[in-house]
Amino acid sequence: MYQHYIKRIFDFCSSLLGLLVLSPIFIMVTICLFVANQGYPFFFQSRPGKNGNIFRIVKFKTMNDKKDSQGNLLSDKERLTKVGTFVRKTSLDELPQLWNVLMGSMSLIGPRPLLVHYLHLYSGFQNRRHEVKPGITGWAQVNGRNAISWDKKFELDVWYVDHISFALDMKILWKTVQKVIKREGINAADAATIEPFNGK
């Protein structure tokens, strides 16, 4: 009952309210990133959603597009701007995904949507994370986020799929607030982002 009906109603109402209440912060961050990224405050990318269906995720753009002398993009760490670092550490980069939740391609709570080119690398167990809508935050995010291994992340994602409930979602929301305040688990050690998944 909750997973199939109430969860969507909760997502719609919460994302709409969130966009309205947080609109001043949204506008301020957009302006700052517009300046820092030479006119490109948003980042759009295709991601797999429920049942592997592809959708376009929207986030605040925390890295610029600077390249080396050969025309190759610099490393993530080198392209992460000062404004982007603040936005990422405060998790404000996730704020535009409230639009994805409002439109129904995402949920507030669920496994984080990963990259499309990872799809063929998943085992049957790992692929179970796509049995539900992806979320802005999830069970893996409040239990280590980018600081845990891929195996542990998938284990936590599938555990969530098997245990979805209103009480669990409320627990994840509360723990997310705590994590954001403490700024825990945002990046993998010595990296701007987590290491790519290679299927192993």
Side-chain angles (χ1 to χ4, degrees):
M1 178 75 172
Y2 170 72
Q3 180 179 347
H4 298 291
Y5 301 104
I6 300 176
K7 187 174 173 69
R8 174 55 190 155
I9 296 173
F10 177 77
D11 282 341
F12 181 86
C13 294
S14 298
S15 58
L16 180 60
L17 179 62
L19 286 169
L20 293 174
V21 172
L22 298 174
S23 57
I25 297 176
F26 193 102
I27 294 171
M28 185 182 302
V29 174
T30 299
I31 293 172
C32 291
L33 290 176
F34 182 90
V35 175
N37 296 325
Q38 293 80 49
Y40 296 95
F42 298 107
F43 171 78
F44 299 90
Q45 190 175 55
S46 295
R47 297 287 178 94
K50 186 177 180 180
N51 299 320
N53 295 323
I54 307 301
F55 71 99
R56 293 267 287 177
I57 196 172
V58 55
K59 300 178 68 174
F60 278 127
K61 187 177 175 67
T62 57
M63 295 185 288
N64 58 41
D65 296 316
K66 289 184 178 180
K67 301 179 180 179
D68 59 24
S69 57
Q70 282 75 45
N72 301 310
L73 285 173
L74 297 176
S75 68
D76 289 353
K77 192 172 184 178
E78 292 174 296
R79 293 187 294 118
L80 189 61
T81 64
K82 290 182 179 180
V83 175
T85 299
F86 172 78
V87 170
R88 182 172 292 187
K89 284 185 176 180
T90 54
S91 294
L92 290 173
D93 58 323
E94 313 290 357
L95 189 57
Q97 290 169 65
L98 288 173
W99 177 255
N100 289 118
V101 176
L102 188 67
M103 293 295 101
S105 55
M106 290 181 64
S107 175
L108 286 178
I109 313 295
R112 285 293 298 156
L114 302 176
L115 300 178
V116 173
H117 66 257
Y118 289 171
L119 282 172
H120 73 284
L121 299 174
Y122 297 139
S123 67
F125 173 80
Q126 293 167 345
N127 198 50
R128 290 199 58 215
R129 69 193 314 278
H130 298 116
E131 292 178 11
V132 299
K133 288 182 182 180
I136 295 179
T137 185
W139 190 233
Q141 278 59 52
V142 298
N143 284 284
R145 202 173 176 178
N146 286 346
I148 59 177
S149 68
W150 279 108
D151 283 343
K152 186 62 176 178
K153 188 188 297 287
F154 289 129
E155 178 186 328
L156 293 169
D157 285 343
V158 175
W159 187 91
Y160 174 78
V161 170
D162 290 332
H163 295 84
I164 292 178
S165 69
F166 178 75
L168 178 59
D169 279 0
M170 293 304 99
K171 179 178 180 179
I172 293 172
L173 279 177
W174 173 242
K175 288 174 73 72
T176 296
V177 173
Q178 293 178 312
K179 290 285 183 180
V180 170
I181 293 174
K182 295 179 181 179
R183 301 182 183 181
E184 292 179 348
I186 294 173
N187 297 323
D190 301 320
T193 57
I194 192 171
E195 289 296 318
F197 177 61
N198 59 19
K200 296 181 181 179

